[in-house]
Amino acid sequence: MDLFEVVSTRRSVRSYADKPIPEEILLKVLDAARLAPSGSNRQPTRLIVIRDRMRINALVPMCTNQSFIAQAPIVIVGVGKNLPNNRGGYMGHYGVLVDTAIVMDHLTLAARAEGLGTCWIGAFDYEPIKTFLKIPEDWNVVALSPLGYPKVQAFKPTENRIALSEFLIDEQWPE
Ligand SMILES: Cc1cc2nc3c(=O)[nH]c(=O)nc-3n(C[C@H](O)[C@H](O)[C@H](O)COP(=O)(O)O)c2cc1C
């Protein structure tokens, strides 16, 4: 599938079919996420792949009861390690959020290319998830996503975005 079609039809999927993901497709999508760039190529991100039904169900109340998460056969948790030093600029330790967000974005796009749905889950209870998944102190939960085949046709052209003219700024911030 053409990249621009992937980008323009990826949507947040909040309803999943009861259908397993073939292992080779899953690995292909996860490997695309692995190829994401990171600052200084430090690769401070890991993806926790959760297939255990009980564990997925238990995550729902830690994600503000977003119950559709438990419809998916797999839940991915993107975690990023604290960076020991600032690599310049104002970003500082927030760099780990940037690196992990890029990995998650690669994941969402690769999933779309394979007909799989994702939904970035940013509303979650940080400490309970860390404890539940036994995530070490110096690793941060950045985002979760269900991964599975959409129950209904979900991939539609994205329309609810600001216009390109509003999105782009010419040369410098306007007075
Ligand atoms: C940082 C971030 C956090 C989000 N958190 C949630 C969430 O907790 N639950 C949810 O259903 N969608 C969540 N979303 C999905 C957005 O609502 C969605 O991407 C946005 O409305 C645009 O719709 P689209 O993804 O279908 O294009 C999140 C998206 C981002 C980027």
Side-chain angles (χ1 to χ4, degrees), residues 57-77:
N57 288 342
L59 280 172
V60 169
M62 300 177 214
C63 296
T64 62
N65 287 318
Q66 298 184 78
S67 55
F68 66 87
I69 293 169
Q71 294 175 5
I74 289 178
V75 170
I76 305 289
V77 185

Side-chain angles (χ1 to χ4, degrees), residues 59-110:
L59 280 172
V60 169
M62 300 177 214
C63 296
T64 62
N65 287 318
Q66 298 184 78
S67 55
F68 66 87
I69 293 169
Q71 294 175 5
I74 289 178
V75 170
I76 305 289
V77 185
V79 296
K81 193 177 199 296
N82 287 340
L83 296 171
N85 55 317
N86 190 342
R87 62 172 173 260
Y90 72 92
M91 193 64 72
H93 297 296
Y94 293 115
V96 69
L97 301 179
V98 177
D99 290 336
T100 302
I102 297 170
V103 168
M104 293 302 284
D105 200 49
H106 270 50
L107 175 84
T108 65
L109 296 175

Side-chain angles (χ1 to χ4, degrees), residues 12-41:
S12 294
V13 174
R14 298 185 179 90
S15 178
Y16 291 88
D18 185 13
K19 182 179 165 187
I21 304 172
E23 196 61 19
E24 69 274 16
I25 304 278
L26 174 65
L27 284 178
K28 191 176 173 187
V29 168
L30 295 173
D31 204 43
R34 180 182 67 88
L35 297 178
S38 60
S40 306
N41 200 26

Side-chain angles (χ1 to χ4, degrees), residues 116-170:
L116 287 164
T118 55
C119 183
W120 189 296
I121 301 295
F124 59 83
D125 299 323
Y126 181 83
E127 287 295 346
I129 290 187
K130 264 191 92 161
T131 304
F132 181 61
L133 298 178
K134 304 187 190 305
I135 296 169
E137 183 56 35
D138 54 345
W139 288 79
N140 308 281
V141 183
V142 177
L144 295 86
S145 177
L147 180 67
Y149 292 100
K151 194 169 195 169
V152 293
Q153 166 57 345
F155 303 123
K156 298 179 212 137
T158 303
E159 286 162 347
N160 58 350
R161 297 294 193 268
I162 56 174
L164 195 60
S165 56
E166 185 181 349
F167 182 60
L168 302 179
I169 294 171
D170 198 25

